Amino acid sequence: MAIKRPYGAEQPYWPAGPFKIRLPFIHYRWEFPEMIQGLFMFVVSLAMIPLLEKYLGMPYEAALAFCVVAGVAYLLPALLGVPLVPGWITPAIPVVLLYLQAFEPGPQAVQAMFALQLLVFIIFLFLGVTGLGSKLVRIIPNSLKSGIIIGAGIAAMMGELKSGGRIDATPISLLIGALVSAYILFSLSFKNIVENNKFAKMLANFGMIPGLFVAMLIGWAVGEYPLPVIEWGITKPDFGLMTQYLVFNVGMPSWDMFLLAIPTAIIAYVIAFGDILVGFTLCRRVDEVRPDEKIELDVTRVHLVTAMRNGLHALLAPWPGLAGPLWTAAHATVAERYALGRKAMDSIYSGGGTFWITGLIAIFILPLVTMFKPVLPIALSLTLILTAYICIMVGMEELKNSAERGVAGIVAVTLAMPDPKSTVYAVVIGVVLYLLIERPNARQRAKDDKSLIGDTTEDYIHQDKADKAN
């Protein structure tokens, strides 16, 4: 029986330095709706297997063992006091793949992936401990940040729609699955239906899973994917074979690899910090409607836990998806049910904790894994397509004027080029264009500041008094 939380307090925990340890059945109850979701949505985590096979050159059994390591890493946020449901740094995946294309699949690609993930670990650790993370993101020009996000979205779409991409082999299932997922996730008309229809609301709670199931069924029906051969028992990830794809066996990467990985690591951090802000916003919204629990949002703790996850991956499972602080779709689903009240979900930690504990267990359930195995590429494709839509939408919304839009457009196109060094080119071009086109000179900046704050402090005071009088 879990320790009962007093009304309005934090969920019970064991203090451990900067962390707050919470265990299922001791500090929070088991949530059966999240358990059911975890049994199906874990397939998205398995969607990384095709990328591990293609870019790191490893066999399926070793890639499955990597997924087990990832499953353990997914448990750390809820365990250590972070209320966000973790996932990949999904918008960065196309950029990471462009970086990996410069290396031969096998030992060289493993070294390159280790170098990148180790840099991401160092960035999160340093900026988290020092508190400089938010300052760094504010320093980066808005046009460069938006251009990177838009470019990542364009690269994701180009990877799926290019000649020889998955659209050529599975056009029917991919297009219909993408349309169903986009309609459920983004359609304004569907949101109106959700308000008055319980079935539609249930579909909305499952995020991209209905679209994935439709794509699977259509793919099997039209022969774009082979029917699964269901096996019974438990899976047997090959951890021995997995060790052949770790830095301990393939050797340390060269300094050139580390230098080439720096722009991609910085881009990944900028995107991940945006995910932290999105996750905190979602938590604050539901915190307002649930006065029975105080949700603590600690930026430093999020950085430290995300650093730990990336460090674990770098050493034991180099991961093209990287370790991100938020899986937006899953966290939004958990938050929405949490907002229904304590009877629906006792704690934000009980929802996220139950979800990923179940997801880790599901990796060992052989019937589930073998059922989804033939359609793992469609799960990855839908993830990338939906990520592309979100990236382009969010990136465009952040641009405030024509100068920013022009610079961001050039950065985005440069980043999306099929060149392993495109990330370096995009960052350099973005900085140069910002200095030449956007950045005002000293006189213009003084004029803009004067127009914003008034001619003098006295004018500002007089204006403030006038506003109060009115």
Side-chain angles (χ1 to χ4, degrees):
M1 188 70 178
I3 302 172
K4 188 172 179 61
R5 178 185 72 246
Y7 188 90
E10 273 191 75
Q11 191 68 9
Y13 61 88
W14 291 331
F19 307 112
K20 296 183 175 181
I21 297 175
R22 293 181 174 93
L23 299 175
F25 305 110
I26 297 176
H27 298 106
Y28 61 80
R29 78 184 188 195
W30 191 257
E31 304 287 354
F32 284 96
E34 274 62 45
M35 182 185 74
I36 300 301
Q37 289 188 51
L39 288 174
F40 292 102
M41 294 183 76
F42 89 102
V43 68
V44 178
S45 67
L46 295 185
M48 191 55 59
I49 290 178
L51 296 185
L52 293 168
E53 292 174 326
K54 179 178 179 180
Y55 290 92
L56 300 190
M58 64 175 56
Y60 174 83
E61 292 75 14
L64 185 61
F66 269 34
C67 289
V68 175
V69 175
V72 173
Y74 292 138
L75 304 182
L76 294 180
L79 174 67
L80 299 178
V82 175
L84 308 181
V85 179
W88 309 335
I89 309 180
T90 310
I93 291 177
V95 182
V96 173
L97 298 185
L98 286 172
Y99 162 75
L100 289 176
Q101 285 177 9
F103 306 97
E104 187 72 23
Q108 190 182 50
V110 172
Q111 290 175 336
M113 192 63 239
F114 168 82
L116 173 60
Q117 196 125 37
L118 185 65
L119 286 175
V120 173
F121 158 74
I122 292 171
I123 291 172
F124 267 102
L125 183 64
F126 175 75
L127 296 179
V129 170
T130 61
L132 295 175
S134 57
K135 295 180 181 178
L136 174 65
V137 173
R138 285 198 296 268
I139 291 172
I140 298 173
N142 190 50
S143 56
L144 180 57
K145 287 187 289 188
S146 296
I148 288 170
I149 294 173
I150 295 170
I154 294 173
M157 284 298 295
M158 289 174 61
E160 297 303 312
L161 301 179
K162 68 182 180 181
S163 177
R166 268 183 283 271
I167 192 67
D168 283 351
T170 59
I172 300 175
S173 56
L174 180 55
L175 290 175
I176 295 178
L179 289 174
V180 171
S181 297
Y183 179 73
I184 291 175
L185 289 171
F186 309 120
S187 171
L188 298 178
S189 63
F190 184 74
K191 289 180 180 179
N192 292 330
I193 297 174
V194 167
E195 294 178 0
N196 302 307
N197 188 294
K198 291 184 178 180
F199 179 73
K201 188 173 184 178
M202 182 186 70
L203 289 179
N205 286 339
F206 282 99
M208 64 172 284
I209 294 299
L212 174 61
F213 271 56
V214 169
M216 288 168 48
L217 295 174
I218 291 176
W220 288 331
V222 301
E224 289 183 345
Y225 287 98
L227 291 172
V229 179
I230 305 297
E231 301 177 28
W232 301 95
I234 61 173
T235 58
K236 298 178 180 179
D238 196 330
F239 294 99
L241 183 61
M242 179 189 81
T243 60
Q244 298 180 20
Y245 297 88
L246 302 180
V247 70
F248 310 109
N249 284 322
V250 302
M252 289 292 293
S254 65
W255 286 111
D256 290 343
M257 286 184 179
F258 281 106
L259 291 174
L260 189 60
I262 289 174
T264 304
I266 294 173
I267 287 171
Y269 176 78
V270 170
I271 294 172
F273 191 86
D275 285 343
I276 294 174
L277 298 180
V278 171
F280 279 17
T281 299
L282 291 173
C283 284
R284 290 191 184 99
R285 286 179 182 174
V286 295
D287 196 29
E288 292 176 358
V289 299
R290 285 285 303 270
D292 61 280
E293 179 180 12
K294 177 185 176 183
I295 301 176
E296 184 189 33
L297 301 174
D298 189 316
V299 175
T300 297
R301 189 180 302 141
V302 175
H303 275 74
L304 292 176
V305 173
T306 307
M308 291 172 61
R309 291 176 57 222
N310 278 288
L312 180 67
H313 271 293
L315 294 174
L316 300 180
W319 195 249
L322 301 174
L326 182 73
W327 180 1
T328 306
H331 182 74
T333 301
V334 169
E336 183 171 336
R337 225 177 60 77
Y338 175 79
L340 298 178
R342 192 166 185 175
K343 288 185 178 179
M345 184 185 298
D346 181 49
S347 167
I348 193 75
Y349 297 98
S350 63
T354 301
F355 178 88
W356 269 126
I357 291 173
T358 306
L360 176 59
I361 294 172
I363 295 176
F364 293 96
I365 302 176
L366 189 57
L368 281 176
V369 173
T370 52
M371 181 179 72
F372 290 121
K373 183 179 178 180
V375 294
L376 289 180
I378 200 73
L380 178 61
S381 291
L382 289 178
T383 300
L384 291 174
I385 289 173
L386 295 174
T387 297
Y389 179 90
I390 294 172
C391 286
I392 295 171
M393 176 182 66
V394 171
M396 295 293 288
E397 285 179 349
E398 293 298 316
L399 298 171
K400 299 178 177 64
N401 54 57
S402 58
E404 286 191 355
R405 286 190 285 271
V407 174
I410 298 298
V411 171
V413 171
T414 305
L415 185 68
M417 290 192 308
D419 188 318
K421 295 183 180 179
S422 63
T423 53
V424 179
Y425 301 149
V427 172
V428 172
I429 290 173
V431 172
V432 171
L433 289 179
Y434 168 75
L435 294 174
L436 291 177
I437 297 175
E438 287 188 74
R439 188 171 182 268
N441 58 34
R443 181 179 297 177
Q444 182 63 40
R445 288 200 303 275
K447 182 180 178 181
D448 291 343
D449 291 343
K450 188 175 181 181
S451 67
L452 287 173
I453 65 173
D455 293 340
T456 64
T457 304
E458 187 177 354
D459 292 338
Y460 177 81
I461 294 172
H462 287 321
Q463 182 61 46
D464 184 53
K465 288 181 177 178
D467 290 341
K468 289 179 179 179
N470 292 331

